[in-house]
Amino acid sequence: MSVENHAADDAATAFASHDHSTCRAQALQAADDLAAAQGVRLTPVRRRTLEILLETHRALGAYEVLERLGAEGFGSQPPVAYRALDFLVQHGLAHRVQRLNAFAACLSPGHDHAPAFLICRACNKVAEADAPEIRSALRAAAVGVGFSVERMTVEALGLCDACAAAERPE
Amino acid sequence: MSVENHAADDAATAFASHDHSTCRAQALQAADDLAAAQGVRLTPVRRRTLEILLETHRALGAYEVLERLGAEGFGSQPPVAYRALDFLVQHGLAHRVQRLNAFAACLSPGHDHAPAFLICRACNKVAEADAPEIRSALRAAAVGVGFSVERMTVEALGLCDACAAAERPE
DNA sequence: CAGACATGAGTTATCTCATAACATTACGGT
DNA sequence: ACCGTAATGTTATGAGATAACTCATGTCTG
């Protein structure tokens, strides 16, 4: 399977080798656009927090982010990180990964999506899989029992191709 | 919509009014059976922990459980609760609800299922919805990007019928 | 039944994750 | 320049989770 997507328009960019600088730049650009469009402020801490998340496809704990921020002259107390992360999540620029109590940059911001996450337990990378059928199936099941869904969490823990290959000869 | 299920064989028992003592007794019986069948020990702490979870359809935090256990003469330190809860989860007698960092008794143990959870944000009750389509949809999406799923988490936050009704006139 | 081993329960201490509450600073409109 | 609001910063504390060790209990063996 060849790798030729030029950006984060594919669900599983995270696990494939790809031009990550483009990946990052595009997400950051989208964030700037979105901030301008919505009249919200992508302040230095917030922007830097997003950049930090964008450095890898792994999900980072709030304290990992905080450590980085503190080292760069921003505040070094938990609320600094949590507030920036909350802002990003609120505006669809990052997602919270429940399973890991951690945060990952969103690779296709502006879509107002609530994707499924694929979490590799070996390399810790996290990919977003946009799977509308999953969401509609859940919603349907809920309606059947008189439950109205407001937010949903769909996460899968497993192995990505690369890590599965690495583990097999063991 | 009438309520006539005699036990936990329906996905959304939790939100409906039902004969809870039967509900509880059945789950407990299933646990005893399962322990006997698998040759594992449903010790006093473990059994009591399950009973505590079975008292309501809400998910309880480990420390809520611990408080109860401690008050009843069991150990009062976190590992006591976590070990019992881990045991129950391991053997399919309880589930962990990621979104709440909490635990709920399984209402149909022995099925080795990994259900979707419907969490009412008002009354905090948690229902299990067995929705195989969701799981297969997620698995399918994962296969498409070369990811092999080992465990999955599907949780929906929203309002159950009763709470939605109660909130409307507001 | 004694001894050996495995499993479970209890304790202390510590770690990670998260938020409440309040003081201070920067920003945008008039 | 002034004022109100939003954002940042700080201290302190709450909530969730686990490591590491000790002691008790249970069971299998001879």
Side-chain angles (χ1 to χ4, degrees):
Chain A
M1 194 184 291
S2 74
V3 175
E4 55 194 34
N5 59 67
H6 58 293
D9 51 9
D10 177 18
T13 310
F15 296 138
S17 60
H18 62 285
D19 180 351
H20 189 61
S21 64
T22 307
C23 189
R24 192 171 53 211
Q26 180 177 310
L28 219 44
Q29 183 60 51
D32 285 330
D33 294 351
L34 187 140
Q38 299 194 348
V40 297
R41 296 165 52 198
L42 191 58
T43 61
V45 219
R46 293 170 176 173
R47 195 165 201 283
R48 187 71 195 111
T49 299
L50 180 56
E51 285 173 7
I52 290 170
L53 290 183
L54 281 168
E55 284 175 11
T56 73
H57 284 287
R58 296 187 307 111
L60 300 182
Y63 279 68
E64 291 181 81
V65 171
L66 178 60
E67 202 172 326
R68 297 285 307 275
L69 290 174
E72 296 175 17
F74 295 102
S76 59
Q77 299 306 314
V80 171
Y82 280 102
R83 281 197 286 241
L85 290 166
D86 286 348
F87 171 88
L88 296 175
V89 170
Q90 210 92 42
H91 292 83
L93 299 170
H95 298 289
R96 178 175 198 127
V97 183
Q98 300 282 348
R99 187 117 202 167
L100 305 175
N101 291 328
F103 301 83
C106 174
L107 297 184
S108 47
H111 291 187
D112 185 28
H113 61 167
F117 293 105
L118 307 177
I119 308 163
C120 178
R121 66 165 164 76
C123 67
N124 282 309
K125 283 184 188 164
V126 174
E128 298 180 27
D130 227 342
E133 327 83 49
I134 300 173
R135 305 174 56 68
S136 57
L138 178 51
R139 207 172 288 276
V143 166
V145 301
F147 184 90
S148 68
V149 175
E150 293 172 352
R151 308 189 53 78
M152 47 181 95
T153 303
V154 180
E155 299 177 356
L157 191 69
L159 281 183
C160 72
D161 255 358
C163 292
E167 207 169 74
R168 221 160 298 151
E170 191 180 299
Chain B
M1 193 183 295
S2 74
V3 175
E4 56 193 35
N5 60 67
H6 58 292
D9 51 10
D10 178 16
T13 309
F15 296 137
S17 62
H18 61 286
D19 179 352
H20 189 61
S21 65
T22 308
C23 189
R24 192 171 53 210
Q26 180 177 311
L28 219 44
Q29 183 59 51
D32 284 330
D33 294 351
L34 187 140
Q38 299 192 350
V40 297
R41 296 166 50 199
L42 192 58
T43 61
V45 218
R46 291 170 177 174
R47 194 165 200 283
R48 188 72 194 109
T49 299
L50 180 55
E51 285 174 7
I52 290 170
L53 291 182
L54 280 169
E55 282 174 13
T56 74
H57 284 287
R58 297 187 306 112
L60 300 182
Y63 279 69
E64 291 181 81
V65 171
L66 177 60
E67 202 171 326
R68 297 285 307 275
L69 290 175
E72 296 176 16
F74 295 101
S76 60
Q77 299 306 315
V80 171
Y82 280 103
R83 280 196 286 239
L85 290 166
D86 286 349
F87 171 89
L88 295 175
V89 169
Q90 210 91 44
H91 293 83
L93 299 170
H95 299 289
R96 174 171 203 134
V97 183
Q98 300 283 347
R99 186 119 200 166
L100 306 175
N101 290 328
F103 301 82
C106 174
L107 297 184
S108 48
H111 291 187
D112 185 29
H113 61 167
F117 293 106
L118 306 178
I119 308 164
C120 178
R121 65 166 165 76
C123 67
N124 282 309
K125 283 184 188 163
V126 173
E128 298 180 26
D130 227 343
E133 328 81 51
I134 301 174
R135 306 175 55 68
S136 56
L138 178 50
R139 207 172 287 276
V143 166
V145 302
F147 184 90
S148 67
V149 175
E150 294 171 353
R151 308 190 54 78
M152 47 183 95
T153 302
V154 179
E155 299 176 357
L157 191 69
L159 281 183
C160 71
D161 255 358
C163 293
E167 207 169 74
R168 222 160 299 151
E170 193 179 297

